[in-house]
Amino acid sequence: MKVLVADDSGIMRKIIIRSLNAVGVTEIVEAADGQEAIDAYKNEPVDLILTDWNMPNKSGLDVVTEIRALGSTVPIIMVTTEAQKSQVIAAIQAGVNDYLTKPFEADDLRAKLDKFVTV
């Protein structure tokens, strides 16, 4: 399984990657902003996307919208500090499969990943 991790924080990407490694996911593509995430997805299809909401160039919501516009059904988990109900609804309407609010514990991420990860 290959996972795309899109977050403008290098520290947050490391935390997410560590959690992915802990559940046996070792094929990981990193993106430091929304445009990188879209480009990476187009160049290297993945089995799951974990994207931050607030990123430079394109937001996580833009990432979801553009990837869904390509006809993709890849599972997407929004990982963000944005927890307002209206934003959660907007993300779901755009095509997000699940939502994880920062800060989170490794176990919280693992629980979300278990729904989608088959290693």
Side-chain angles (χ1 to χ4, degrees):
M1 162 168 259
K2 189 183 291 186
V3 177
L4 170 60
V5 176
D7 198 305
D8 56 318
S9 164
I11 293 167
M12 186 53 65
R13 285 196 311 273
K14 282 187 174 78
I15 291 167
I16 292 170
I17 289 166
R18 223 176 290 130
S19 296
L20 287 167
N21 292 161
V23 295
V25 177
T26 55
E27 283 190 81
I28 297 163
V29 179
E30 290 185 62
D33 67 42
Q35 188 59 57
E36 273 188 33
I38 293 164
D39 294 343
Y41 179 78
K42 287 178 179 175
N43 292 328
E44 204 169 345
V46 294
D47 303 300
L48 176 72
I49 298 170
L50 294 164
T51 184
D52 185 20
W53 186 301
N54 297 307
M55 294 184 290
N57 299 320
K58 292 197 184 248
S59 71
L61 199 57
D62 293 333
V63 170
V64 174
T65 303
E66 290 193 34
I67 288 173
R68 292 297 182 235
L70 297 171
S72 174
T73 58
V74 65
I76 302 175
I77 300 174
M78 185 73 75
V79 184
T80 183
T81 56
E82 305 297 335
Q84 294 176 0
K85 190 175 182 182
S86 62
Q87 290 171 311
V88 173
I89 291 168
I92 290 168
Q93 288 174 336
V96 165
N97 297 87
D98 212 332
Y99 212 87
L100 184 61
T101 306
K102 296 177 191 172
F104 57 84
E105 299 294 323
D107 289 344
D108 299 331
L109 179 58
R110 280 193 200 102
K112 300 284 184 187
L113 293 173
D114 285 344
K115 297 178 186 179
F116 305 104
V117 174
T118 50
V119 198

